[in-house]
Amino acid sequence: MIVQIKNIVPILQAKWLANHSETTIETISIDSRSLQNGSNTLFFALVGPNNDGHDYISALIEEGVQNFVVTYIPQNLENKSNFFVVEDTLKSLQLFAAYYRNLYHFPIIGVTGSNGKTIVKEWLNFLLSPDFNIIRSPKSYNSQVGVPLSVLAINEKHNFGIFEAGISTRNEMEKLEKIIQPTIGILTNIGSAHDEGFSNIGEKIKEKLKLFKNVSVLIYNKNKTIDSFLNPTINTFSWSCTDHHADVFIVTKSILDKTILKIKIQNNNFEIKIPFRDDASIENAIHCMMVMLYLEYDYKTIETRMELLFPVEMRLKLKNGINNTTLIDDSYSSDFQSLKIALDFLESQKQHKKKTLILSDIFQSGLSNEDLYSGVSQLIISNKINRVIGIGETISKYKSKFSNCTTFANTEEFIANLNVLNLNNETILIKGARTFHFEKIVSALEEKTHETVLEINLNAISHNLNFYKAKLKPETKIMVMVKAFGYGNGGFEIAKLLEHHKVSYLGVAFADEGISLKTAGIHLPIMVLNPENTSFEAIIHHHLEPEIYSLKGLKTFLKVAEQKKLYHFPIHIKFDTGMHRLGFEEENIEELISVLKENKSVTVKSILSHMATSDDIKHRDFAISQIDLFDKFSSKLMNELQIKPIRHILNTSGISNFPEAQYDMVRLGIGLYGVSNDVEEQKYLENVGTLKSIISQIRTIDAGESVGYGRRFIAEKTTKIATIPIGYADGISRLWGNGLGFVTINDQKATIVGSICMDMLMVDVSEIICKEGDQVIIFGESPTVTFMAEQLQTIPYEILTSVSQRVKRVFYRE
Ligand SMILES: *Cc1c(COP(=O)(O)O)cnc(C)c1O
């Protein structure tokens, strides 16, 4: 994109305050943290419930950004940059995208529906790319912000577009329709996802259908409910496996791991095979086939291309690699847009100073190779990548565009040379088109552990953080509790993400936990809840901040602080208001004040207390009495010492149940990890951890035979048993065995039979189609930790923190 800034004032509906009116815009940004921001960036200062883009403008000006779309000009910046002052920056971003979309006249597919949007988009891209230069939304950029950003990536060379549109509530689709302006519509399906935003299913269908207001054709699975909402003048091209009135009638038949689709269209019949057998994949594949039929592809081409469909990996995965490297696995796609996103992810997650990019040839950029690789080179320079390893014939030709670049003709050649490349102590982004099979590179570089992993969804953590942030007053700070390895989910990686989200504080239980975060490079202030007197030296050395809960502790700390000649070292004073665990009591306050008065070696950074019953309505009066006492004690301390520290008393349940007691900060714990003590609230949280394993072996036993130690399971009939390599040493309670608990295999429940062993457990898979090596879910979406906790008569906290450290944690982002 190249646009003169003076031309865009009317498009944005802006008032223009310019400094240099001749500037051109080449890129759009909404993320202040992106290293891709530069002098030709137009930065939209979006305002969200938790974040205000205007706060970063002054820093961005220092980095060289010159063009901003704002609702007001921050103080003292009037003449420092070009400002477009608008009423609503998101609206202007959308207007700009809609204007830009209008400059192009080629077919554009708009996909919406509850599930399958991204897969349909990726498959269509694969199926149609031999014939078109396709622009598509990267990853699942389908929101009010994602759609404009996707559309703004169109360039002159594209001649076909595929964009997805996702909505979560009323009045969103109309805006997306104006930006995408699809000519071909696909409605994948209507499920129950995001039902909160709509009062009923009809309202949801009507909203989704708004995307298709002006399409030449709508492709959908014929269905009476949808038909009743369709505008009768719309031209449709429908399919069905049950309704003969559909334009295309399909009979499916699964054989082993494939499905045969027998297709009848008008008076023609033909057959295709797809390499899947689950309903969702079959439905997605049919939508893609319908597009090919609509575009009048011949049956033979449809058949040969559909047979090559593949599973789509939409996530960026963070993995531990050999030689202390961190891998970001994006081995399934390579295009310019998703490279930008992956580089931003690399920056936010980099765990080492050194950054390496392993990149394959890039396809379908719509640009000439010369322009494409110049663009890639610029991206790489602005993202401060230290080394590039290019794999493929084309990228090898353009090697001279990159500094510090090694190239290989193909993946095999790279793997053969792995040893001389000397990869160590660095973060490596592995990004390649499917045909390069970069999964082989990931597997060569990945640290080997056993098959049981705890997968942590970093997006879900961000979502949950934002969910709680939205409940807080804008000025309330957040301390996130990352004690016990982030409730078992992972310490450093989560702390890093929280730093990225600019939370105010982290909280840990013991000094060691804080020390390992600080040494790994976390800069956020960290409060230590339970500092032992012997750890004070280390606490000071590592700039951790102790919670002080007794006179004895205070005096010991002061002694160390004075020896070290500290000045105003931050400490946190905890009061006991009823939990009776740690904290100063009323009778200590006078002495506490007299010790702290005149003392210069420490400063009271915050005052806190902890509630015993914030999650339990039954004990509401008690909770309120704790808050009252906290108010009283903390006020006294503040008045007498003439200080204004941060005050905080609420944990997760407190945030929800006692919003009036937010004071200056809250301490978010379990909610961040996706668990709420409240059934209603739980619906709005996303699952963070999924504990997964695989089937090691399957056997069939006869009636009367037994399974496991003590023969506690005796088969009543012929039974198929699968063994899974996870046991009580990994943190699965033995009480969960013997018919109480279950695991999920291929979306079905498999009951645990017999006793759980130290390293293994056995399940009944008589009714489940599965094979050795198949994935097994121990907890996650089903069973949830909350359900397990109820059954085991404990709380989710215990289940989460029990997962042993020998289970590898894998972090990913959707
Ligand atoms: C663990 C802890 C929290 C967080 O509690 P959640 O219920 O997980 O939100 C807050 N404050 C203190 C003092 C804690 O120990």
Side-chain angles (χ1 to χ4, degrees), residues 396-548:
S396 297
K397 276 195 215 133
Y398 292 89
K399 178 176 174 180
S400 60
K401 293 205 179 283
F402 307 99
S403 65
N404 196 12
C405 176
T406 318
T407 56
F408 298 93
N410 54 47
T411 305
E412 285 63 37
E413 196 180 296
F414 165 81
I415 292 177
N417 284 285
L418 207 49
N419 290 338
V420 295
L421 285 168
N422 201 11
L423 296 160
N424 64 67
N425 296 298
E426 56 197 297
T427 306
I428 306 172
L429 170 61
I430 301 166
K431 181 142 186 69
R434 253 184 68 77
T435 45
F436 283 87
H437 292 287
F438 273 15
E439 64 275 7
K440 290 187 200 153
I441 297 183
V442 174
S443 134
L445 292 177
E446 203 178 357
E447 214 176 42
K448 303 289 177 284
T449 41
H450 66 157
E451 286 94 352
T452 299
V453 294
L454 180 59
E455 285 193 354
I456 310 296
N457 181 344
L458 295 174
N459 286 106
I461 293 186
S462 304
H463 168 93
N464 297 337
L465 176 67
N466 287 333
F467 172 79
Y468 285 100
K469 257 192 190 172
K471 289 179 175 275
L472 301 176
K473 290 178 284 187
E475 64 276 15
T476 307
K477 298 178 179 358
I478 299 185
M479 171 184 287
V480 177
M481 307 311 289
V482 293
K483 58 197 184 193
F485 278 100
Y487 290 44
N489 293 284
F492 175 65
E493 295 79 1
I494 291 176
K496 188 87 194 156
L497 178 69
L498 295 168
E499 193 159 77
H500 184 69
H501 283 297
K502 301 187 159 57
V503 305
S504 298
Y505 259 93
L506 298 178
V508 296
F510 298 105
D512 310 1
E513 297 176 319
I515 292 170
S516 64
L517 291 178
K518 286 280 184 190
T519 359
I522 297 295
H523 301 292
L524 281 176
I526 301 178
M527 183 181 84
V528 182
L529 287 170
N530 199 351
E532 284 129 334
N533 291 353
T534 49
S535 68
F536 284 156
E537 298 250 359
I539 284 186
I540 292 167
H541 179 72
H542 291 277
H543 304 285
L544 300 169
E545 304 179 13
E547 170 188 296
I548 301 289

Side-chain angles (χ1 to χ4, degrees), residues 23-42:
T23 315
T24 54
I25 300 299
E26 290 171 15
T27 57
I28 300 294
S29 170
I30 56 159
D31 186 352
S32 63
R33 298 163 298 206
S34 172
L35 293 177
Q36 292 153 30
N37 295 324
S39 58
N40 297 319
T41 297
L42 177 62

Side-chain angles (χ1 to χ4, degrees), residues 663-683:
Y663 292 94
D664 313 295
M665 185 158 79
V666 296
R667 298 188 304 274
L668 178 62
I670 193 90
L672 184 86
Y673 308 101
V675 177
S676 167
N677 295 309
D678 181 293
V679 189
E680 264 315 296
E681 186 167 288
Q682 183 66 51
K683 293 185 191 156

Side-chain angles (χ1 to χ4, degrees), residues 354-390:
K354 222 160 76 186
K355 296 190 278 186
T356 291
L357 168 65
I358 303 181
L359 183 67
S360 76
D361 288 349
I362 294 183
F363 298 125
Q364 310 150 24
S365 64
L367 299 172
S368 70
N369 281 335
E370 182 65 33
D371 290 350
L372 168 65
Y373 289 100
S374 300
V376 171
S377 160
Q378 265 172 17
L379 262 187
I380 287 170
I381 292 167
S382 59
N383 277 279
K384 306 195 168 73
I385 302 292
N386 305 78
R387 157 158 73 166
V388 178
I389 298 173

Side-chain angles (χ1 to χ4, degrees), residues 163-191:
F163 295 102
E164 41 174 313
I167 52 166
S168 52
T169 185
R170 277 159 291 194
N171 303 327
E172 291 187 336
M173 194 58 98
E174 210 173 324
K175 296 178 202 151
L176 300 186
E177 194 278 334
K178 290 204 178 100
I179 304 168
I180 300 177
Q181 299 167 34
T183 56
I184 301 173
I186 301 177
L187 179 64
T188 57
N189 55 37
I190 301 279

Side-chain angles (χ1 to χ4, degrees), residues 586-808:
E586 186 154 26
E587 64 199 43
N588 310 130
I589 297 188
E590 291 304 334
E591 192 175 349
L592 173 63
I593 289 168
S594 76
V595 176
L596 285 177
K597 218 169 212 164
E598 312 301 331
N599 188 304
K600 293 262 187 311
S601 56
V602 298
T603 185
V604 179
K605 192 72 195 279
S606 86
I607 308 179
L608 68 148
S609 186
H610 193 43
M611 292 166 77
T613 62
S614 64
D615 58 337
D616 192 346
I617 301 297
K618 271 205 311 289
H619 295 290
R620 202 173 162 85
D621 290 346
F622 182 77
I624 291 172
S625 76
Q626 279 201 277
I627 294 170
D628 290 344
L629 275 184
F630 178 62
D631 211 85
K632 180 170 150 200
F633 297 166
S634 59
S635 302
K636 185 165 169 75
L637 198 64
M638 285 160 62
N639 287 337
E640 302 262 340
L641 294 176
Q642 290 288 307
I643 53 173
K644 266 196 142 326
I646 300 169
R647 289 194 286 176
H648 46 118
I649 185 166
L650 300 180
N651 63 347
T652 302
S653 307
I655 295 173
S656 307
N657 296 333
F658 299 93
E660 66 284 3
Q662 285 174 20
Y663 292 94
D664 313 295
M665 185 158 79
V666 296
R667 298 188 304 274
L668 178 62
I670 193 90
L672 184 86
Y673 308 101
V675 177
S676 167
N677 295 309
D678 181 293
V679 189
E680 264 315 296
E681 186 167 288
Q682 183 66 51
K683 293 185 191 156
Y684 293 92
L685 298 180
E686 287 181 6
N687 182 57
V688 170
T690 303
L691 182 58
K692 286 185 172 172
S693 191
I694 58 154
I695 299 178
S696 306
Q697 198 179 23
I698 296 180
R699 76 190 66 250
T700 302
I701 60 170
D702 292 331
E705 292 193 287
S706 65
V707 173
Y709 286 120
R711 306 196 68 198
R712 288 188 188 88
F713 173 79
I714 309 267
E716 281 172 6
K717 51 180 199 281
T718 305
T719 306
K720 198 163 79 167
I721 299 290
T723 302
I724 300 159
I726 182 168
Y728 58 78
D730 300 290
I732 308 302
S733 167
R734 265 186 92 248
L735 301 174
W736 190 232
N738 292 314
L740 175 66
F742 68 90
V743 301
T744 301
I745 299 175
N746 296 333
D747 289 328
Q748 282 173 280
K749 287 183 187 178
T751 305
I752 302 175
V753 292
S755 291
I756 293 179
C757 314
M758 186 186 289
D759 311 305
M760 272 169 273
L761 55 81
M762 282 70 85
V763 297
D764 180 348
V765 290
S766 304
E767 305 300 324
I768 299 179
I769 300 175
C770 58
K771 55 184 189 307
E772 292 176 356
D774 276 2
Q775 176 176 291
V776 177
I777 295 185
I778 315 296
F779 68 64
E781 298 284 356
S782 170
T784 62
V785 283
T786 307
F787 177 79
M788 274 175 92
E790 271 163 23
Q791 297 293 305
L792 293 167
Q793 297 178 24
T794 177
I795 51 176
Y797 300 73
E798 186 177 348
I799 311 254
L800 284 176
T801 54
S802 297
V803 178
S804 127
Q805 282 303 312
R806 84 174 182 189
V807 174
K808 178 170 139 180

